[in-house]
Amino acid sequence: MSMNLAQYLEHNTDAHMGVLISAIAEVSQSISAAVHKGALGGVLGSAGSENVQGETQKKLDIIANDMILDALATTGVVAGMASEELDDCSPVPGHSDRPFLVLFDPLDGSSNIDVNVSIGTIFSVLPNPDVGEITNESFLQPGTEQLAAGYVVYGPQTSLVLTFGKGVVAFTLDRESGEYIQTSESMDIPEDTKEFAINMSNQRHWHAPVQRYIAELLEGKTGGRGKDFNMRWIASMVADVHRVLTRGGIFMYPKDLRDPNKPGKLRLMYEANPMSLLVEQAGGKSFDATHRILDIQPTDLHQRCAVMLGSANEVQRVSDYHKD
């Protein structure tokens, strides 16, 4: 008989972490229900506001954000939260001594909400440094400090993918029982691949190493690589990375020439760090260009970075081109 999430947590983590992950799983079911109800629930469309990054917020962005904040605050184990949708962190009043800090992107890929394409929730769990009041600085820990990371992808199935730093496991929501059932004991990314994910509309803005790498992939069998590659691009990081974890590939969102002072598009704390931990635990690699993403020391809660992650040999190749 397949193991459910509660049974897995009982055998693989301590009680505090079990409470936290259970709360995330429970609220994800509520978000999943809202996502799948779609237009029938009146939750589609813009909220008429922008987040701290200047991006238009969807109604579901705000709904999911509030759901997660409320769910985590009542766990008894979370001292503070930080969200891509909030300017600053959200401490739990009077509980700065609780063991965990949680960062999350409530609905990654929200531009896809209105067109019925897979989106998801990404989360990262950090230890609470427990030095008094919870501030933005409390969260500025490198990705190597993460105690757990994962995401929930809301697609044809709702899937929870999770790591505690000892491999990657996956669960699928059984809507009839309301339980997450384990469907993968160990997700492994093959070292080699024939698939790549990148936004080709930005090609003219890429730096030379990325231009070189993508050009050789597009040459296919007639080029130096001697094999054909397929491009995949969902424009939802959580969905693209889920595909990489499931069957391999390389996902790239590189720095480009449009703004020399902007180190990348994706958020280090809410997207790059948790996804990098998952990818590394599944046998892949994750670099910004020449540096391991998990080693980056954050200086800002909403810091951005370039991202190249997935099958180890491909990520290493494009990183080597940057070093050249």
Side-chain angles (χ1 to χ4, degrees):
M1 182 177 178
S2 298
M3 186 180 298
N4 64 30
L5 179 63
Q7 292 166 332
Y8 178 86
L9 294 174
E10 182 180 356
H11 290 95
N12 291 277
T13 190
D14 62 39
H16 286 168
M17 182 65 76
V19 167
L20 172 57
I21 300 302
S22 295
I24 292 172
E26 184 174 344
V27 72
S28 75
Q29 293 191 44
S30 299
I31 297 171
S32 178
V35 168
H36 286 97
K37 196 162 188 179
L40 299 177
V43 296
L44 301 186
S46 171
S49 57
E50 294 183 345
N51 62 19
V52 65
Q53 288 88 17
E55 299 163 336
T56 300
Q57 291 177 307
K58 300 287 187 178
K59 291 178 183 177
L60 264 175
D61 281 324
I62 296 174
I63 291 169
N65 186 72
D66 291 346
M67 283 182 175
I68 296 171
L69 287 173
D70 290 344
L72 296 184
T74 58
T75 59
V77 297
V78 176
M81 295 84 74
S83 166
E84 186 174 311
E85 301 301 329
L86 301 176
D87 291 2
D88 296 296
C89 72
S90 177
V92 178
H95 296 288
S96 62
D97 59 342
R98 289 177 174 176
F100 303 128
L101 303 177
V102 182
L103 302 111
F104 61 90
D105 180 352
L107 271 186
D108 177 76
S110 58
S111 63
N112 286 320
I113 290 172
D114 296 346
V115 293
N116 200 19
V117 173
S118 295
I119 54 180
T121 298
I122 308 172
F123 61 91
S124 170
V125 182
L126 291 170
N128 177 10
D130 197 15
V131 291
E133 181 182 0
I134 301 299
T135 66
N136 288 356
E137 286 68 33
S138 305
F139 292 82
L140 301 184
Q141 305 176 42
T144 51
E145 295 298 308
Q146 292 176 103
L147 301 174
Y151 62 80
V152 181
V153 59
Y154 311 112
Q157 305 94 37
T158 294
S159 298
L160 168 64
V161 178
L162 180 65
T163 183
F164 297 113
K166 297 178 181 178
V168 179
V169 292
F171 300 82
T172 300
L173 179 62
D174 182 340
R175 296 186 188 283
E176 294 180 359
S177 68
E179 291 184 318
Y180 277 104
I181 306 299
Q182 187 172 6
T183 46
S184 175
E185 295 182 1
S186 178
M187 300 186 80
D188 296 301
I189 300 173
E191 292 184 341
D192 297 297
T193 183
K194 291 185 177 182
E195 290 189 342
F196 68 100
I198 195 168
N199 187 347
M200 287 294 294
S201 68
N202 293 328
Q203 182 174 10
R204 67 192 184 279
H205 303 298
W206 296 336
H207 289 272
V210 178
Q211 296 277 12
R212 174 187 174 187
Y213 176 71
I214 296 299
E216 71 179 22
L217 301 190
L218 296 177
E219 289 173 353
K221 286 183 178 179
T222 62
R225 299 297 301 276
K227 64 179 180 179
D228 291 328
F229 286 79
N230 292 320
M231 192 188 86
R232 301 285 184 258
W233 183 250
I234 304 174
S236 167
M237 185 189 190
V238 70
D240 278 310
V241 173
H242 187 64
R243 185 185 58 254
V244 169
L245 281 165
T246 301
R247 68 185 192 199
I250 180 171
F251 169 88
M252 300 175 64
Y253 214 123
K255 178 181 179 180
D256 61 42
L257 297 167
R258 283 174 290 183
D259 185 350
N261 297 317
K262 194 173 179 179
K265 167 74 173 176
L266 300 178
R267 264 62 61 164
L268 173 64
M269 306 293 285
Y270 310 106
E271 297 165 319
N273 270 343
M275 291 306 202
S276 294
L277 184 61
L278 286 161
V279 164
E280 286 197 7
Q281 287 297 313
K285 290 187 176 182
S286 182
F287 292 169
D288 60 354
T290 58
H291 301 96
R292 181 187 182 215
I293 284 176
L294 294 179
D295 289 334
I296 297 173
Q297 175 58 54
T299 58
D300 184 83
L301 197 56
H302 297 287
Q303 185 172 334
R304 297 176 188 256
C305 71
V307 174
M308 305 181 305
L309 56 76
S311 293
N313 290 340
E314 294 302 316
V315 175
Q316 188 63 57
R317 177 183 286 265
V318 70
S319 179
D320 288 343
Y321 287 176
H322 282 84
K323 294 173 184 175
D324 292 343

